[in-house]
Amino acid sequence: MTAKRSTPIRALEFYSGIGAFSQAAKPYGIEVVAAFDQSQWANQVYELNNRHKPSSRNLDSISIKDIPEADLWWLSPPCTPYSRRGEQKDMSDPRAKSFLHLIEFMVMKKPSTILIENVEGFLHSKMYEHLCQTLQSNGYLVDAIKLCPTMFAVPMLRPRIFIVARLADEDTRPLVSALRPIVAPPQASSAKTLSNFIDYGLNEFTAAHLLLSEADAEKYEPVLNVVNLKDASDAAQYVICFTSGYYRCRKASGTLLRLESGRLRFFSPDEILSLLGFSADFSLSNLDLPICYRLVGNSVDVRAIDYLLANALQ
Ligand SMILES: C[S@@+](CC[C@H](N)C(=O)[O-])C[C@H]1O[C@@H](n2cnc3c(N)ncnc32)[C@H](O)[C@@H]1O
């Protein structure tokens, strides 16, 4: 893939969710020719923000004839099989079945570039070993890099692993050493603080729905990660990864804000989207709040994908 191409790069977005890849791909003129996700809610949001609707079929049983030709495949498969919080059943987890199935198709379809996102535990999994062996024995050069929003001057911890596999020719060189400089901490002057992402003008109705009940606040106080609203402009303050369970589980599923009144409130789904680098006009439709949290918690840092597209695909 080169910057000089005259025809647009054709991409497939597997496990498309709300479409972080499509968001990042827009400035590059990449044509997302098909997206796949079994969640009707995710697909509703995806369609509202893009011109096409993802296929809602279960990828466990997709047939190769239903996969269009493309130059680039983007995949962000379920992370529970490899996540610290899950049982780490790895390849034997039923949620890993669709990815195993797609690995078979990768080497039959041979897109020139494959980008995969997952949690840090993925790098230590049998699935990663299997993926690397399969791709390398079929002519791909495989690189892995860890990216986190903090590397892009955003005060949120959400480290994720990105695999970049490229069909190799004699000019293909490993990417990792070229990518390494991004790991340097951002310059303090360019770093944003949490105040850049907080909506100070929430309407009363929304604000009321974002409050944690006083009973829950008291019960879960010791395990909550909290930032004081009054400290939001302090460069040392950051939030921890918002998971899909943020609104329902209380432990280690994302940071809460302590208001001047002493009450705790959740970050809103729009604030989380902004931390993830989605554009201000991105819409979650009028879905219920718990569904919005599930969708944004499952999504991917748009800046990390932009970084891969800008650097890794040169
Ligand atoms: C980690 S999330 C990826 C989210 C996405 N990258 C985004 O930008 O929002 C995994 C997604 O895969 C979908 N999914 C999981 N298993 C699937 C399967 N077997 N077939 C189709 N979609 C699946 C889920 O509905 C979820 O949206």
Side-chain angles (χ1 to χ4, degrees):
M1 182 171 307
T2 70
K4 289 191 188 124
R5 265 178 87 108
S6 53
T7 52
I9 293 163
R10 289 166 58 88
L12 300 180
E13 192 170 4
F14 292 96
Y15 311 98
S16 44
I18 58 174
F21 177 81
S22 283
Q23 267 283 295
K26 273 181 191 156
Y28 295 88
I30 292 174
E31 188 189 348
V32 179
V33 288
F36 303 86
D37 200 294
Q38 65 187 2
S39 158
Q40 58 159 318
W41 306 121
N43 291 347
Q44 186 178 322
V45 173
Y46 186 103
E47 188 179 12
L48 184 67
N49 293 281
N50 296 284
R51 287 200 207 103
H52 60 109
K53 188 174 184 163
S55 157
S56 57
R57 61 178 316 139
N58 186 331
L59 289 165
D60 286 2
S61 57
I62 192 170
S63 135
I64 195 159
K65 68 175 170 37
D66 296 323
I67 301 181
E69 292 305 318
D71 310 295
L72 186 157
W73 285 23
W74 161 263
L75 307 94
S76 48
C79 57
T80 324
Y82 329 101
S83 129
R84 258 186 311 127
R85 292 162 67 102
E87 293 173 62
Q88 298 186 317
K89 287 194 185 158
D90 206 328
M91 287 168 86
S92 58
D93 191 308
R95 284 160 291 198
K97 183 176 172 190
S98 57
F99 187 49
L100 265 175
H101 191 50
L102 289 172
I103 293 174
E104 280 175 40
F105 292 159
M106 284 173 192
V107 294
M108 292 163 82
K109 293 291 235 178
K110 291 221 163 161
S112 54
T113 305
I114 301 168
L115 302 176
I116 300 164
E117 180 263 1
N118 219 278
V119 290
E120 290 177 280
F122 183 69
L123 273 193
H124 312 290
S125 68
K126 291 206 164 48
M127 183 67 98
Y128 176 61
E129 237 173 77
H130 169 68
L131 173 76
C132 289
Q133 272 166 11
T134 310
L135 291 178
Q136 284 163 347
S137 60
N138 280 277
Y140 282 88
L141 196 67
V142 183
D143 290 281
I145 183 169
K146 181 162 98 175
L147 296 173
C148 179
T150 51
M151 297 171 182
F152 306 104
V154 174
M156 174 165 70
L157 278 184
R158 193 183 178 90
R160 290 291 184 270
I161 296 301
F162 294 85
I163 314 294
V164 181
R166 292 163 308 142
L167 208 46
D169 58 30
E170 65 277 14
D171 294 331
T172 315
R173 297 274 177 274
L175 287 168
V176 167
S177 57
L179 291 172
R180 196 155 281 156
I182 195 70
V183 178
Q187 296 295 312
S189 59
S190 68
K192 289 187 167 168
T193 67
L194 281 176
S195 60
N196 294 103
F197 301 94
I198 290 174
D199 183 350
Y200 291 92
L202 283 173
N203 67 46
E204 240 173 80
F205 178 79
T206 311
H209 281 83
L210 298 182
L211 289 176
L212 180 68
S213 75
E214 294 194 73
D216 271 3
E218 198 176 323
K219 185 168 169 196
Y220 295 104
E221 176 87 58
V223 295
L224 296 177
N225 181 275
V226 175
V227 164
N228 291 315
L229 182 61
K230 67 176 171 46
D231 300 330
S233 304
D234 177 345
Q237 301 293 324
Y238 60 89
V239 291
I240 58 167
C241 177
F242 297 96
T243 70
S244 58
Y246 178 50
Y247 200 53
R248 55 193 156 80
C249 1
R250 307 282 173 246
K251 196 177 166 189
S253 58
T255 302
L256 284 101
L257 265 179
R258 187 179 302 284
L259 307 177
E260 311 255 312
S261 64
R263 290 289 301 269
L264 293 177
R265 85 147 166 90
F266 292 93
F267 277 76
S268 73
D270 283 338
E271 288 168 334
I272 299 173
L273 281 179
S274 164
L275 281 157
L276 286 170
F278 280 79
S279 60
D281 61 355
F282 191 90
S283 169
L284 288 167
S285 181
N286 52 358
L287 293 174
D288 290 347
L289 205 49
I291 296 171
C292 292
Y293 277 113
R294 213 179 314 147
L295 296 176
V296 298
N298 262 336
S299 198
V300 182
D301 183 19
V302 174
R303 294 175 204 90
I305 308 174
D306 173 64
Y307 174 77
L308 292 178
L309 294 174
N311 294 283
L313 303 180
Q314 292 300 316

